[in-house]
């Protein structure tokens, strides 16, 4: 594998993990503030499946 591809994979994988965690935290904060997942989906333009894939399913029925 060419070295530039290995470097690109390392850099982008770190970026993915970091930003995914930041998004997970933002969803959790919105949930704790009482926002329903439908509102998170509306604001982000993402599906409920995507939101749940990042932050897990809600356990309080909202």
């Amino acid at each position: 594998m060419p070295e530039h591809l290995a470097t690109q994979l390392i850099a982008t994988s770190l970026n993915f993990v970091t930003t995914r965690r930041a998004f997970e935290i933002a969803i959790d904060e919105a949930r704790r503030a009482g926002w329903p997942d439908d509102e998170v989906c509306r604001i982000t333009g993402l599906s409920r499946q995507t939101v749940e894939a990042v932050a897990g399913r809600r356990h309080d029925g909202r």
Side-chain angles (χ1 to χ4, degrees), residues 15-56:
N15 187 43
F16 171 77
V17 170
T18 302
T19 56
R20 180 183 170 105
R21 179 65 180 137
F23 186 43
E24 180 183 357
I25 290 168
I27 294 169
D28 185 54
E29 289 176 358
R31 286 173 170 177
R32 282 187 278 130
W35 289 29
D37 282 359
D38 288 341
E39 186 68 4
V40 174
C41 294
R42 186 189 69 77
I43 289 170
T44 62
L46 299 171
S47 69
R48 177 177 291 275
Q49 292 83 7
T50 300
V51 170
E52 289 178 352
V54 171

Side-chain angles (χ1 to χ4, degrees), residues 45 52 57-60:
E52 289 178 352
R57 296 192 92 167
R58 289 190 81 121
H59 299 291
D60 61 6

